Amino acid sequence: MNATTEHSTGLAALHRLTWWTLVGCLIGVVAIIAFEPPTPAAKSVVFAVLLPVCAVAGRLFAVAVLGTPPPPTAVTVVAAIGAAGILLYSGAVGYGGFPWALPLAVLLAAVHAGARWPAVVVWPSGVAIAFGASLAGSWSIGPAAVSDALTDAGITALCAVSLYAQVWMATVAERLDQARTTAVTGERQRFAAELHDIQGHNLQVIALKSELAERLAGTDPAQAVALMRDVQELARQALGDTRALVRGYRAVSLDTEIANSARVLDAAGIESSISPAGERPSLSPAVTNLLGLVVRECTTNVLRHSTARRCEISLSSEAGTAVLRFVNDAPLEGPAGPTGGLATLRDRLESAGGSLRSTGTADSFTVTACLPLAAAR
C-alpha cells in the first residue's frame, strides 16, 4: 500500500468514525430526553417532536461528513422551531437547562456544519433562539427567569461547539490531506519536467550521433569513432546531470519549505506571515538545508502540539549569522526547551557552529535557529 492509499484510507476511516460518533450522540439525545417528561402523553408529544429534529440534524451532519445533498431550508427552519419548542416546554413545566437544551444544540451544530449559512448568522441566531425560548417558557421577565434563560443559552452554545468540534477536526484533516496531495503532485510534475528537460535533448542527440556513426562505420571509420566518443561524452554528461537533479531533489530547499509551510498552515485555518516577503538573504546550501528542516519540524509541531491561529516566519542576517524565527500563538503545555525532532536539529545546528533554542509563554512559542553564513558546505 503506497502513501497516497494509506492517507486516503485513513481519511475515510476518520470520516466514518466522525459520522458514527455523531449518530451515537443523536441517539443519546433521543434516549435521554424521551424519558424526561412526567406523563405518558407528554412523553409522546416530546418524542414526536424530538425524533424529526434529530433526523434533520443527522441529515445536516451527513452533508459535512459524507457529502450528501442538504435538506430544504424550510425543513431546517421547522426543525429549529421544534427544538425551540422543546426548550420552551421544559421552562413551562419547571425543568429547563440540561438536557432540554440538547435538541437545539445538536441542530445548531448541524446547521453550522452542513447548511451553507454564514457562521455570523447561525451562531448568534441559535443562541438568541435558546434564550428566547427559555425566557418565554418561564412566563416571566424577572431576574431569575433571565438568569435561567442565559444559563440555557450558554448550555446550548457549549454543547453545540463541543459537537461541532468533531466535524471541524474531520474537515481540517481533509484540508491537510488535500494540501499534501497538491504539494506532492506539484513536486512530481516539477521533477518530471526537469528530468525531461535534462534527458530529452541529450538522448535525442545520442540517438542521432549513434545512427550517423553506424552509417559511417564502413566508409569513414575515423569519423565514426569520433562520433561514438561524442556519444560517450554525452552519456556521461546526462548521467551527471541526472545525479545532480536527484541530489537537488533530495536536498531541502528553505524557500520550498517556507512555501509548503504557509500552504499547509493556511489549509489548516492558521494564518501565516512570512518576512521578508520578497528577496531573502543569500545563504549557502548547507545553511538553507538545515533551516529548511527547522521550518518543516516547526510546522509539524504547530499542527500536532498547538491550537495556533497564527504563525510568523522570519529570516534575517545579523552580524554574519542567518537567523530564522518561527513564532506561533496558543501553544499547549509541554517541557521546556527543544524536544523530539527539534532536539535532533539542535545537535546538527550546534555541530555546524550554530544554535537552536525555544522560548514559550502562555500566549506564544518561539523557535530561533542561528547559523553562520559561512557554515560548511
Side-chain angles (χ1 to χ4, degrees), residues 328-342:
N328 65 274
D329 61 358
L332 300 179
E333 293 185 2
T339 59
L342 285 179

Side-chain angles (χ1 to χ4, degrees), residues 117-258:
W117 299 355
V120 294
V121 173
V122 173
W123 288 101
S125 299
V127 174
I129 290 172
F131 177 81
S134 179
L135 190 63
S138 67
W139 299 99
S140 171
I141 56 172
V146 172
S147 177
D148 290 342
L150 287 174
T151 300
D152 290 349
I155 292 173
T156 301
L158 180 61
C159 293
V161 170
S162 300
L163 196 59
Y164 175 73
Q166 300 179 57
V167 180
W168 178 81
M169 287 188 290
T171 302
V172 169
E174 184 174 5
R175 289 178 181 174
L176 289 175
D177 185 72
Q178 291 174 350
R180 182 199 62 80
T181 301
T182 301
V184 170
T185 301
E187 185 63 15
R188 286 175 176 172
Q189 291 175 346
R190 181 197 69 80
F191 183 76
E194 291 190 10
L195 184 61
H196 178 270
D197 292 342
I198 289 175
Q199 297 290 34
H201 174 73
N202 287 334
L203 292 176
Q204 185 177 17
V205 175
I206 287 173
L208 291 174
K209 286 183 175 287
S210 298
E211 291 175 2
L212 184 58
E214 182 182 13
R215 294 175 185 176
L216 295 176
T219 58
D220 192 349
Q223 183 64 24
V225 170
L227 288 172
M228 290 308 299
R229 286 174 179 166
D230 291 342
V231 168
Q232 291 176 3
E233 183 60 30
L234 284 170
R236 293 190 185 97
Q237 180 180 344
L239 181 59
D241 290 342
T242 302
R243 287 172 175 169
L245 175 61
V246 172
R247 283 195 298 270
Y249 179 71
R250 290 176 179 172
V252 176
S253 167
L254 179 57
D255 288 341
T256 300
E257 288 300 328
I258 291 176

Side-chain angles (χ1 to χ4, degrees), residues 227-312:
L227 288 172
M228 290 308 299
R229 286 174 179 166
D230 291 342
V231 168
Q232 291 176 3
E233 183 60 30
L234 284 170
R236 293 190 185 97
Q237 180 180 344
L239 181 59
D241 290 342
T242 302
R243 287 172 175 169
L245 175 61
V246 172
R247 283 195 298 270
Y249 179 71
R250 290 176 179 172
V252 176
S253 167
L254 179 57
D255 288 341
T256 300
E257 288 300 328
I258 291 176
N260 288 342
S261 175
R263 184 165 53 246
V264 171
L265 291 172
D266 290 341
I270 301 173
E271 182 183 357
S272 61
S273 64
I274 301 170
S275 61
E279 185 176 355
R280 301 188 179 96
S282 178
L283 305 173
S284 68
V287 173
T288 59
N289 181 71
L290 286 174
L291 295 184
L293 292 173
V294 172
V295 171
R296 181 189 297 178
E297 185 64 25
C298 288
T299 304
T300 301
N301 288 344
V302 166
L303 296 175
R304 290 182 178 177
H305 308 302
S306 80
T307 56
R309 305 302 303 167
R310 178 175 176 79
C311 289
E312 298 176 5

Side-chain angles (χ1 to χ4, degrees), residues 4-170:
T4 301
T5 303
E6 289 178 354
H7 277 280
S8 300
T9 302
L11 189 61
L14 177 60
H15 276 274
R16 287 195 300 270
L17 176 62
T18 302
W19 168 246
W20 287 112
T21 300
L22 293 171
V23 169
C25 290
L26 293 174
I27 293 174
V29 170
V30 174
I32 291 172
I33 297 180
F35 297 99
E36 287 288 324
T39 64
K43 284 183 172 66
S44 299
V45 173
V46 170
F47 185 79
V49 176
L50 178 62
L51 198 59
V53 169
C54 289
V56 173
R59 186 170 174 184
L60 286 166
F61 280 131
V63 174
V65 180
L66 305 179
T68 59
T73 301
V75 173
T76 302
V77 172
V78 171
I81 294 172
I86 292 175
L87 187 57
L88 188 151
Y89 164 79
S90 72
V93 297
Y95 292 109
F98 185 87
W100 296 94
L102 287 178
L104 190 56
V106 297
L107 189 65
L108 176 58
V111 168
H112 184 51
R116 292 172 174 82
W117 299 355
V120 294
V121 173
V122 173
W123 288 101
S125 299
V127 174
I129 290 172
F131 177 81
S134 179
L135 190 63
S138 67
W139 299 99
S140 171
I141 56 172
V146 172
S147 177
D148 290 342
L150 287 174
T151 300
D152 290 349
I155 292 173
T156 301
L158 180 61
C159 293
V161 170
S162 300
L163 196 59
Y164 175 73
Q166 300 179 57
V167 180
W168 178 81
M169 287 188 290

